[in-house]
Amino acid sequence: QVQVVESGGGLVQAGKSLRLSCTASGRSGNRYSMGWFRQAPGHAREFVAHITWSGSNTYYTDSVKGRFTISRDGAKNTAYLQMNSLKPEDTAVYYCAVGVYAPATEWGSTRGYDYWGQGTAVTVSS
C-alpha cells in the first residue's frame, strides 16, 4: 500500500505562482511514475502532468504546457508541480497519483495510476 499526500494549494491571484508537493510513502524504492490531475466543480477529473520513475520523461496537457513544470526528488519520494502564470481556469482540486502496477502507457488517464492522494485545492482569482 502506498500513501500519497499533497500539499501547497491555496488562494492566489491570476498571473502568480504556486508549487504543489506530493510525497509517496509505504513502498521501498522509487520505481513508480507520478502524475497530477485536477478536478474543477462540475467537471470530470482531468490529466495535468506526468513524470516517469526516472524523471527523464515528462508529459503535460496542452493547456498547461509552458506554464507548469513537473519534477521529482527520488531521494525524498516527492514530486512537485510548479505552476506559473496561473489563470482562473486553473482553479480546481489537484490530485497526485502514483502508478505502480498500472499500464505505463495510460499515463494520461486515471487508469494509469494505482494510488491517489486526497487532493489540495487551488483557487486563482481574477
Side-chain angles (χ1 to χ4, degrees):
Q1 189 74 12
V2 176
Q3 292 75 46
V4 182
V5 179
E6 308 99 332
S7 62
L11 172 64
V12 65
Q13 289 183 324
K16 301 298 186 181
S17 300
L18 274 178
R19 189 177 81 157
L20 306 182
S21 299
C22 169
T23 298
S25 61
R27 177 180 172 88
S28 61
N30 61 358
R31 284 184 175 260
Y32 47 81
S33 63
M34 300 181 80
W36 288 96
F37 285 70
R38 64 187 180 186
Q39 188 166 16
H43 290 76
R45 191 169 299 189
E46 65 171 355
F47 168 76
V48 176
H50 170 90
I51 188 165
T52 55
W53 71 269
S54 65
S56 59
N57 292 297
T58 57
Y59 306 92
Y60 301 90
T61 192
D62 287 345
S63 62
V64 308
K65 286 180 180 177
R67 300 190 298 123
F68 291 12
T69 302
I70 188 171
S71 61
R72 68 187 294 168
D73 183 333
K76 297 180 179 179
N77 291 332
T78 298
Y80 305 96
L81 186 67
Q82 178 66 43
M83 305 186 295
N84 299 329
S85 302
L86 282 161
K87 303 175 181 180
E89 50 263 45
D90 294 318
T91 294
V93 176
Y94 283 71
Y95 296 90
C96 180
V98 172
V100 179
Y101 310 106
T105 53
E106 298 281 0
W107 51 261
S109 163
T110 56
R111 295 184 299 272
Y113 304 88
D114 305 288
Y115 304 100
W116 294 82
Q118 293 299 307
T120 185
V122 172
T123 302
V124 183
S125 62
S126 58

